[in-house]
Amino acid sequence: MGISMEPARTGRAATPEGTIAKVRGAILRHGLIRRGDKVLVAFSGGADSCCLLHALKALSGELGFGLGAAHVNHGYRGESAERDAERSAQICEGIGVELSVVKVDVHRRSKESGESVELAARNLRHGALKAMAEGRGYASVAMGHNMDDQVETVVGRILRGTGIEGLAAMRPRAGTLIRPLLSVGRAEIEGFCRARLIPYVTDETNLSDAHARNRIRNALLPAMREAAGADVAGPILRLSELAWEDSGYMAAEAGRAYAEAAEVRGPGHGVTIRADGLLGAHPAIAHRMVRMAAAECAGGAEDISYANVADVMGLARGAAGSAGRVSLPHGLTVRAEYGRLTFTKGGGAKARLIGAAVTGPDWAHGFAEDRNGARHVWVKAEAMTAGEARAAMARHGGAHDEAPDGTVDPTLADTAETADDDAGDAGGALGRKYKEYVRVFGYGALAAMPQGGGAGEGERARTEGADEGERARTEGADGVGCLGLTLRPRREGDRFTPKGGSVRRRLKSVLSEGRVPEAVRDAVPLLAIGGEVLWVIPSRSGSRCLDAGSLAGTPPGVKVVMVTARIGGDAATMAH
């Protein structure tokens, strides 16, 4: 690179004042900068960023905003890059703007991520500028992209087979990024710098045809102008504007469809979309929904290609009955299970449940966390007679039988403002945020169960409460504490005999048939003794559970155990 004071390549009639007026118009028309904002200029030292910095400096007093600059050293041009940083500092100092310099390692990022050097440089540059703006209170980052850049971008995307969003190309605002120079051509920018005697660095690589953008700039566009016998920039820019209008309408329609189809959003747990919501939408809308999900997980969807979207749509078509997965850029994974597509980044947060021993009428507290978010799980067990249990169940509402289809609810139920659902009035007039479920078990059947089995020591430690439950068995001769009840997650070797059945089955098979996604199975709360699962809370009970008919036919004096589970609530709720 070197300092360039050469006149503009083409003789466009423009004045520095006219260029500043265009920048002012873009700011006001698009609401790019508000009075009182601080704006960080991405400053390379080239003509574009020099023109932008000087124009914004000239407007800062009139429009009432603060100004700073940042230079990103990409770490692959050695001493030349260091000289550019020094020259940039001199230019900024000359007009009284503070410059910050940040270094990034593009080659390392490219090697680790598999991105091209150009893509790695862009992502690192944008990330560094965004972090600096957020850390120092800047409202926006101003980029020096100009009208010629826009034309080159549109043509490049056409050659890659872009959709309408790609034709829309760069917009004046994209989140915190603003582009005040999109209405100003490169020749006018260079003329501005020449007229104001502003030195700027010239990147010799812009003259090389090693990169696709340079070939478009140096060969393709001149050939298009010669073949058309007229300027092609104007029609290309109009195409971009029309594409922006159309894509805005379709984005709004896709947003409505996405809001209806997106089922689950939890921090660190990605996004889940119903497959039928995608397949039932027009392809133009469905494709945008896929990109919305990817953007929500990864913070952007610029590198999600048509082929990527096609892979996800193919996954959706097979999602109803089988599991599958595809990988997307940005470290995203899409999994299909039971009619849902789940988008996660880096595998997503691991589902888990922290359990506890259930030793009596005091609430045992568990904590479940999966892609649905985090929820408290509370369980208590009370020994009583069958007559007392019938009276208690009558007060509760009597709803302690299975759902007709016997499926497992992987969301742990809806913890609404009030919980006056078919499980009884669990929230009451206070409107506490939990739902309550009750099951009754025969005391003798529980006491006769084997105390161990179903887990190795490592798995036993993972349950965080199983050992405590086993010890609690010895603390009472005939109380609940001696039964060894635990609230815990699944573990290897778990068995379950569904209520009404006679076959002792692997819990893994029961959860699979209950359409519980693999990714959340470790957060499903279980009531168990050793390796035998009594209750998949809140949905499915084991064979030792007494249904309403069995409880009614049990002699009043027979001893039973009534177990109450609450999903939701907090310590203050449980104190009531």
Side-chain angles (χ1 to χ4, degrees):
M1 289 191 177
I3 296 293
S4 173
M5 290 295 298
E6 294 298 320
R9 292 191 297 269
T10 58
R12 178 174 294 185
T15 64
E17 293 74 18
T19 302
I20 293 173
K22 287 183 179 180
V23 174
R24 180 194 294 109
I27 291 171
L28 298 178
R29 182 166 59 255
H30 301 292
L32 303 183
I33 303 174
R34 298 172 299 181
R35 187 169 296 275
D37 279 355
K38 288 176 60 180
V39 179
L40 183 67
V41 176
F43 192 75
S44 66
D48 298 340
S49 59
C50 283
C51 174
L52 176 61
L53 184 68
H54 279 259
L56 291 180
K57 179 66 174 178
L59 294 168
S60 60
E62 173 192 342
L63 300 182
F65 60 86
L67 203 59
H71 179 87
V72 179
N73 182 341
H74 293 94
Y76 55 72
R77 292 178 40 253
E79 293 182 1
S80 178
E82 296 294 339
R83 288 194 298 271
D84 289 346
E86 292 175 4
R87 291 165 180 164
S88 295
Q90 294 170 0
I91 294 170
C92 290
E93 184 180 2
I95 61 171
V97 174
E98 180 184 1
L99 177 74
S100 300
V101 178
V102 60
K103 291 185 178 181
V104 296
D105 192 336
V106 172
H107 284 304
R108 179 179 178 181
R109 166 67 176 259
S110 177
K111 182 178 180 180
E112 293 178 350
S113 67
E115 299 166 332
S116 66
V117 172
E118 293 79 8
L119 179 59
R122 188 198 70 180
N123 289 339
L124 281 174
R125 181 169 61 250
H126 285 194
L129 292 169
K130 181 180 179 180
M132 185 177 295
E134 291 177 349
R136 301 185 183 184
Y138 288 96
S140 56
V141 177
M143 310 293 287
H145 298 121
N146 61 54
M147 187 167 62
D148 292 77
D149 292 328
Q150 182 81 311
V151 171
E152 293 159 11
T153 298
V154 174
V155 172
R157 292 183 177 181
I158 290 173
L159 296 177
R160 293 198 300 270
T162 190
I164 290 181
E165 284 87 354
L167 291 177
M170 297 180 288
R171 308 315 303 166
R173 173 180 289 281
T176 57
L177 295 182
I178 61 174
R179 299 181 175 95
L181 288 182
L182 281 184
S183 61
V184 183
R186 188 174 292 124
E188 183 175 345
I189 287 170
E190 293 175 353
F192 178 95
C193 292
R194 183 180 63 82
R196 290 291 181 94
L197 301 179
I198 302 170
Y200 59 87
V201 295
T202 300
D203 189 347
E204 291 89 351
T205 62
N206 288 338
L207 302 177
S208 168
D209 286 341
H211 302 301
R213 177 175 287 271
N214 291 350
R215 293 194 293 273
I216 292 171
R217 175 186 304 158
N218 301 327
L220 181 57
L221 284 172
M224 291 172 65
R225 284 192 291 269
E226 182 177 355
D231 179 40
V232 296
I236 291 172
L237 291 172
R238 283 195 296 275
L239 172 65
S240 177
E241 288 300 317
L242 292 172
W244 175 251
E245 293 177 1
D246 290 349
S247 67
Y249 170 77
M250 285 189 283
E253 291 297 306
R256 284 188 281 272
Y258 179 79
E260 294 178 1
E263 291 183 313
V264 180
R265 297 174 191 149
H269 300 285
V271 176
T272 296
I273 302 180
R274 296 194 325 273
D276 61 1
L278 281 177
L279 299 176
H282 187 282
I285 301 301
H287 291 182
R288 285 165 174 79
M289 293 167 66
V290 171
R291 295 176 64 84
M292 287 177 177
E296 189 164 341
C297 291
E302 295 86 355
D303 302 316
I304 305 298
S305 68
Y306 177 84
N308 294 144
V309 174
D311 287 343
V312 175
M313 294 304 297
L315 195 62
R317 284 188 286 273
S322 61
R325 58 182 290 173
V326 297
S327 297
L328 302 180
H330 304 291
L332 291 174
T333 298
V334 186
R335 292 181 174 85
E337 287 185 298
Y338 311 118
R340 300 182 182 93
L341 297 181
T342 300
F343 293 69
T344 56
K345 184 172 183 178
K350 184 173 177 58
R352 64 186 182 126
L353 180 124
I354 298 174
V358 182
T359 59
D362 293 330
W363 291 107
H365 177 221
F367 187 80
E369 185 177 27
D370 60 23
R371 68 190 185 198
N372 301 295
R375 292 160 308 288
H376 296 279
V377 183
W378 308 81
V379 176
K380 66 179 180 178
E382 301 169 271
M384 61 184 67
T385 66
E388 292 170 333
R390 286 198 293 266
M393 292 302 297
R395 292 193 299 270
H396 185 269
H400 63 293
D401 291 332
E402 301 294 291
D405 60 2
T407 58
V408 178
D409 178 6
T411 67
L412 301 188
D414 177 18
T415 55
E417 287 296 325
T418 58
D420 50 350
D421 65 346
D422 61 359
D425 182 11
L430 295 177
R432 303 168 195 157
K433 295 183 179 180
Y434 64 81
K435 281 193 175 183
E436 185 171 282
Y437 305 85
V438 177
R439 296 291 186 270
V440 178
F441 301 87
Y443 184 92
L446 300 188
M449 290 179 61
Q451 299 187 16
E457 288 304 314
E459 286 297 316
R460 184 178 300 282
R462 183 173 68 88
T463 65
E464 302 185 40
D467 286 338
E468 183 180 348
E470 292 296 330
R471 289 194 301 271
R473 294 178 67 100
T474 65
E475 295 176 1
D478 60 358
V480 171
C482 73
L483 296 177
L485 291 167
T486 57
L487 168 69
R488 64 168 176 81
R490 66 171 179 163
R491 63 195 192 196
E492 189 66 29
D494 276 342
R495 297 288 174 172
F496 183 71
T497 306
K499 191 175 66 169
S502 59
V503 179
R504 189 167 177 259
R505 307 179 58 203
R506 296 171 62 200
L507 178 67
K508 180 178 180 180
S509 299
V510 174
L511 294 178
S512 177
E513 291 174 7
R515 302 173 68 84
V516 180
E518 176 68 29
V520 302
R521 290 178 189 173
D522 283 342
V524 174
L526 309 174
L527 180 71
I529 293 178
E532 190 74 18
V533 175
L534 304 172
W535 183 11
V536 182
I537 303 172
S539 304
R540 298 204 66 181
S541 306
S543 61
R544 290 174 173 83
C545 176
L546 303 176
D547 60 22
S550 299
L551 183 59
T554 302
V558 172
K559 193 172 183 179
V560 298
V561 177
M562 187 168 77
V563 181
T564 305
R566 287 179 177 176
I567 308 298
D570 53 24
T573 300
M574 297 301 111
H576 289 282

